[in-house]
Amino acid sequence: MLKIDVEGAEFDVLTGGINFIKTHKPEIILATHDCHVPGIESKCLRLLQQLNYTYKSIDDNKFIKGQADYLCKSNEDC
């Protein structure tokens, strides 16, 4: 499992670890921060979809404008 909470650098972490993600297909807890980098949430989620991941919000009814948390799972077996 990976937890990514890097205050706006989420896309950089995902792309930097793309080979690891493709090989090991870990579950990912992703915290996005549009409040720091506008558009980062959609950019990250699009990349995960391209990697055959699905995701669901795990915000538990708490909302901070520009921040969102997701549980992301591969649709493929390792």
Side-chain angles (χ1 to χ4, degrees):
M1 175 170 278
L2 295 177
K3 180 181 180 202
I4 302 171
D5 187 353
V6 289
E7 306 301 316
E10 298 84 32
F11 188 75
D12 294 336
V13 170
L14 288 171
T15 56
I18 204 160
N19 289 332
F20 177 84
I21 293 168
K22 285 180 177 180
T23 301
H24 299 287
K25 300 168 184 64
E27 288 187 4
I28 300 171
I29 296 174
L30 176 67
T32 61
H33 296 85
D34 269 13
C35 56
H36 298 302
V37 180
I40 198 73
E41 178 181 0
S42 61
K43 196 172 177 180
C44 290
L45 296 177
R46 269 194 311 272
L47 175 61
L48 287 167
Q49 286 177 322
Q50 291 170 359
L51 295 171
N52 201 21
Y53 269 71
T54 55
Y55 52 86
K56 69 175 183 173
S57 174
I58 54 171
D59 286 331
D60 294 331
N61 296 324
K62 60 183 175 182
F63 181 76
I64 301 170
K65 187 170 178 66
Q67 295 183 13
D69 298 327
Y70 295 93
L71 175 60
C72 311
K73 294 183 178 187
S74 174
N75 291 318
E76 302 172 14
D77 295 328
C78 286

